[in-house]
Amino acid sequence: MARGTPVADLTRSIYLLWGHHPKPGRSGLTVPAIVEAGTELADAHGLAAVSMRKVAEHLGVGAMSLYGYVPGKEDLTALMTDAAYGELYDDVTAPTEAGNWREAMRFVARRNWELYERHPWLLEVRSPRPDLGPGVVGKYEAELRPLDGIGLSDVEMDSVLALILGHVADSARTHAQHVRENTGMTDVEWWDTVSPVLDQVMRGENLPVSGRVGATVGTEFQAATDPEHNFTFGLEVILDGVQARLD
Amino acid sequence: MARGTPVADLTRSIYLLWGHHPKPGRSGLTVPAIVEAGTELADAHGLAAVSMRKVAEHLGVGAMSLYGYVPGKEDLTALMTDAAYGELYDDVTAPTEAGNWREAMRFVARRNWELYERHPWLLEVRSPRPDLGPGVVGKYEAELRPLDGIGLSDVEMDSVLALILGHVADSARTHAQHVRENTGMTDVEWWDTVSPVLDQVMRGENLPVSGRVGATVGTEFQAATDPEHNFTFGLEVILDGVQARLD
DNA sequence: CGGCTTACCGTACAGCGTACGTCACACCGT
DNA sequence: ACGGTGTGACGTACGCTGTACGGTAAGCCG
């Protein structure tokens, strides 16, 4: 699928996101099937494992056949991303129904956290612009609603949501890197290896505070850090900060 | 340079980070020179542009010669990362001297923000474990000190710092994607293209809150979002939240 | 049944990280 | 001064990537 002018490409991409895709041909290929295949691969082996060849193979089809349905890898990733975010809430009112704004934001944060656990590759997606598909747009509406009418300006609503979602993504990112034991060794093994070498090599460094804090954190969590603790702690700090702004 | 057991590799990587590298051979190559070349390339063209071939070419040397000094690309990236974070503070006391803990944290956040502006590729680095080199360790000590003795537990100190740094990274990430006009079109061009298509395609969607907020934000910032505003706003919210915890 | 449209895909190219094996340089012992 | 040798440097090659191009063949219509 040849690339054209930037404007034409962009328009095509948006139409694609919003469900304008070609009917299945004689191989039975469809855009949703391609997206699903890509998502399965990404869930299982990370975003780097999603190559056009692998996706095609997974569908029993030649690599180049995909280009009849999807302009390229970038658009495939955008489709996967939007689909993943789209599965977050059954209904646009779900967060609102969780309770007051604080409980709603906890609900939102927890849901996003779980989404990143299910689809860690979402944290690797690096899109130059937001992928404004139906999933993302619906998510934004659902998450913004509980913040409406509690005393924040429109801009503040957007900023608060961005702050919370950013915090979730950041914690989840650390968590995902943390959990990935497949790539090498477990946390404990890693620390057991690193620790003595560090002790030797850092001899003579003057680190009174970080030395103490690092030791405490290590003892507390049996690891260099505990992303899940940081997630819940940070969330409450943020919510307290928002509350302070409301008063 | 052949890879060995995980433990040996890890040990070697840490020694490398802490300055244990081979003396220059007959080509005059050194590890710092390689790291510098990689950093220059990354600053100019992003992390993806840092290939072993390009770095070698930049140094007037064959690609494989680098492997005599650096085990592979992963370690090169780790070295670059640690060096970049190491240039953040002239002295370990710099943040502390900025004033009380709030001012110190604003100083820390701003410095990190500027670092990410200077080296946007830092936001693309995806390391399985923290790269515990001298730069990163010194940074941790410097940033932790202003939080010492203000009424937080050790674990809370670590969590608060992680929260703030995560927020900076997240804002800077959005900012960096935002600024990258080179890859295609400017913000305004993009929105002018996307907006009418979205209007058409979203006809019939029920988006009362996000529609209003999106419009307000767009008018306010002449863009879909303003990362710098989100950065300072979010930071103050977080600081307020921490203050609430201190009371 | 013939012919045309078009979906499909085999091949190819430029790029990547890096394993392997060779070459020539610099140094050292005599 | 010279020969041998250890090793730093690197050319080549492999398997992988995204995707442009052009040929093949399948399905449909007259």
Side-chain angles (χ1 to χ4, degrees), chain B:
Chain B
M1 186 61 51
R3 301 249 115 192
T5 68
V7 170
D9 288 348
L10 193 43
T11 307
R12 186 204 210 285
S13 298
I14 296 169
Y15 275 120
L16 192 57
L17 275 174
W18 287 84
H20 290 235
H21 26 70
K23 297 284 161 211
R26 51 181 190 264
S27 71
L29 263 191
T30 63
V31 168
I34 295 173
V35 171
E36 196 180 336
T39 304
E40 278 174 24
L41 281 173
D43 287 347
H45 307 108
L47 198 62
V50 181
S51 72
M52 299 303 270
R53 281 170 175 81
K54 295 257 188 65
V55 172
E57 193 179 352
H58 199 266
L59 289 164
V61 130
M64 294 312 291
S65 304
L66 303 181
Y67 287 88
Y69 296 85
V70 161
K73 198 193 178 177
E74 211 166 304
D75 291 74
L76 173 54
T77 309
L79 283 162
M80 288 165 55
T81 304
D82 191 70
Y85 283 124
E87 67 180 44
L88 201 48
Y89 308 111
D90 296 336
D91 195 277
V92 76
T93 61
T96 314
E97 286 165 1
N100 63 27
W101 71 266
R102 268 188 98 112
E103 285 157 359
M105 286 301 103
R106 285 199 197 96
F107 174 80
V108 163
R110 177 56 62 180
R111 273 298 176 91
N112 275 272
W113 173 272
E114 289 162 358
L115 181 72
Y116 289 131
E117 252 176 355
R118 235 172 320 147
H119 304 302
W121 52 269
L122 281 173
L123 298 160
E124 300 174 47
V125 173
R126 201 157 279 289
S127 189
R129 314 276 177 184
D131 301 321
L132 291 179
V136 167
V137 168
K139 175 179 188 281
Y140 186 52
E141 172 73 21
E143 291 172 341
L144 223 37
R145 284 193 185 181
L147 294 174
D148 197 25
I150 66 168
L152 295 173
S153 74
D154 284 357
V155 170
E156 283 172 335
M157 285 170 61
D158 181 73
S159 298
V160 165
L161 181 58
L163 175 60
I164 291 171
L165 294 182
H167 172 63
V168 176
D170 189 73
S171 310
R173 210 183 317 268
T174 314
H175 183 58
Q177 293 173 0
H178 205 248
V179 158
R180 189 153 303 180
E181 309 180 7
N182 44 350
T183 318
M185 32 178 62
T186 68
D187 229 29
V188 178
E189 287 170 356
W190 179 77
W191 188 248
D192 284 353
T193 307
V194 164
S195 183
V197 185
L198 273 185
D199 281 351
Q200 185 202 326
V201 96
M202 281 171 51
R203 194 147 317 186
E205 298 281 326
N206 183 29
L207 306 166
V209 183
S210 59
R212 192 195 71 226
V213 171
T216 308
V217 172
T219 309
E220 184 86 5
F221 300 127
Q222 304 278 37
T225 180
D226 181 343
E228 184 136 16
H229 169 270
N230 278 356
F231 166 59
T232 48
F233 176 84
L235 179 59
E236 293 307 316
V237 170
I238 290 172
L239 295 180
D240 286 350
V242 173
Q243 183 62 58
R245 222 161 208 69
L246 292 179
D247 297 338

